[in-house]
Amino acid sequence: MSDVMLWTDVLLAILGGAIRVGTPFLFVSLGECLTEKSGRVNLGLEGVLVLSAMAGFGGSYLTGSAWLGVGMAALSGALLASLHGWLCALPRVNDIATGIALMLLGVGLAFYLGKDLIQPQASQIPSIPLGWWSDSPQVQTALRINALFPIGVVLAMALTWMLAHTRWGLIVRMAGDSTDAARALGYSVNTVRVVATMAGGFVAGIGGASLSLYYPGSWNEGLSSGQGLIAVALVIFARWRPMQCLWASLLFGGAGALGPALQSVGVSAGYHLFNAMPYALTLLILVWSCKPKQALKGAPAELKLAR
C-alpha cells in the first residue's frame, strides 16, 4: 500500500509540475501561434521571454505588486516583438535572420538592465490551492497552481474562437494563407502581421513573468534555458492550433517535472538525464512529425517555413 501511495505522490507531483513548468510554454506558444497564423515567424521569442522576465521581476520589485510586474512584462514583450514586426515589414528583410538578431538583442538588454535584480526579492504571483480537499501536504503542494495558468487556458479557448469565428481572426488567417486575397479585399498585410506579432509578443511576455515571478520565482541570467526556442517547435507540434498548444505545453511541462518528481521519492539515478527530457522530447517530436507530406500540415501557406 505504501508503494501505491508513493507512486501516487509521484504522479501528482508530475501533474502539478506539468502545470507549473508548462505555464510559460503555454503563453509563449500561444503568442507564437498567433504570430505565425498571420504568416510571420518570430524566432526572437527567447529574447522576448528573457527580457519580459527581467521587466516583470523589476516591475514587481519596484512597485511591490506582482500583477503590475506581469503588466510590465507583457508590455516589454509587445515592444520587442513590435520591433521584429516593423523590421520584417521592410523590403528584402528575412524573418529568420531578424528573429535571431532580436533574440540576441533581447537577451543582451535583459542581462545588462537586470544586473541589479539578481539578489533582491520581489512580490510573487499568487497560487491557487486546488488541493484544499486533502490532508496530505504532498497533495496540497502538488496541486498548488500558478494563478496565470487558468488565464492561459481561457486565452487558448478565446484565441481558438477568435481565429475561427471573428472578422479579425479571418483577416489574420487570410494574411497567413494568401497575401493576394488579403490585398484584394483592401487589407494591408504588413499592418496585420505587425499587429499580430505585437499581440503575440504581449502574450509571450506573460510567460516571461511566470518564470521570474512564480517558478523558479527569481531573476537570473540562465532563467529561460531556451524555452522560447522550444515554444517555436511546440507550435509546429501543435499544428498551429491554440488548444493543441495547451496540451503540448502540459506535455513539455510534465517532461520537465519528471526529474524533480522522481527525486522526491528517492530516485536520483540519471537525474541530469531526466532534466534534459524537454530538449530530448523536442528533438523526438520534430523527427517524428517531419514525415513526407505531413511535416507542415496545417501551416499557414505564407509562412516562411512552408516555402
Side-chain angles (χ1 to χ4, degrees):
M1 183 65 181
S2 60
D3 289 341
V4 173
M5 294 299 296
L6 189 67
W7 290 106
T8 299
D9 289 342
V10 171
L11 292 176
L12 285 172
I14 293 175
L15 174 61
I19 297 175
R20 183 173 60 251
V21 180
T23 299
F25 282 123
L26 174 58
F27 283 99
V28 180
S29 63
L30 287 177
E32 179 63 7
C33 183
L34 177 58
T35 300
E36 293 191 11
K37 276 290 188 180
S38 71
R40 175 151 292 153
V41 181
N42 185 4
L43 288 185
L45 281 178
E46 180 72 8
V48 169
L49 192 64
V50 175
L51 182 63
S52 60
M54 184 279 299
F57 189 87
S60 177
Y61 172 67
L62 293 174
T63 65
S65 170
W67 293 110
L68 286 177
V70 172
M72 292 185 68
L75 288 176
S76 66
L79 287 174
L80 187 59
S82 66
L83 179 59
H84 176 72
W86 285 113
L87 288 175
C88 291
L90 299 174
R92 297 184 296 279
V93 174
N94 183 272
D95 290 8
I96 306 298
T98 305
I100 294 173
L102 265 293
M103 175 180 67
L104 297 175
L105 174 63
V107 171
L109 281 175
F111 289 1
Y112 177 74
L113 298 175
K115 286 182 178 179
D116 296 331
L117 298 174
I118 294 177
Q119 294 297 329
Q121 297 296 314
S123 299
Q124 299 289 293
I125 296 169
S127 58
I128 301 175
L130 296 184
W132 54 268
W133 48 270
S134 175
D135 295 329
S136 170
Q138 292 84 356
V139 173
Q140 293 177 1
T141 300
L143 297 182
R144 186 176 293 117
I145 68 169
N146 187 344
L148 289 175
F149 179 72
I151 298 175
V153 174
V154 172
L155 183 60
M157 293 188 291
L159 190 56
T160 299
W161 177 83
M162 185 273 289
L163 289 170
H165 300 291
T166 67
R167 181 181 179 184
W168 169 244
L170 177 62
I171 294 171
V172 170
R173 289 189 291 117
M174 189 186 304
D177 287 329
S178 176
T179 56
D180 292 337
R183 292 191 182 100
L185 292 175
Y187 297 109
S188 170
V189 174
N190 283 334
T191 300
V192 172
R193 288 178 178 171
V194 168
V195 173
T197 304
M198 185 185 301
F202 183 91
V203 175
I206 300 176
S210 179
L211 281 176
S212 60
L213 296 179
Y214 189 82
Y215 180 80
S218 62
W219 161 249
N220 63 76
E221 296 180 352
L223 189 67
S224 173
S225 301
Q227 292 187 42
L229 292 174
I230 291 177
V232 177
L234 191 150
V235 173
I236 298 173
F237 173 58
R239 291 296 185 264
W240 293 270
R241 298 174 183 173
M243 286 305 298
Q244 296 289 355
C245 288
L246 169 60
W247 307 123
S249 299
L250 291 175
L251 175 64
F252 276 70
L258 183 60
L262 290 175
Q263 191 182 40
S264 68
V265 295
V267 180
S268 57
Y271 177 73
H272 296 291
L273 180 61
F274 286 121
N275 283 342
M277 280 297 292
Y279 310 100
L281 184 61
T282 302
L283 292 175
L284 289 174
I285 285 175
L286 288 177
V287 170
W288 172 78
S289 62
C290 290
K291 299 177 181 178
K293 300 181 181 179
Q294 294 183 9
L296 294 179
K297 183 179 179 181
E302 296 289 338
L303 198 64
K304 288 292 192 298
L305 295 174
R307 294 189 292 173

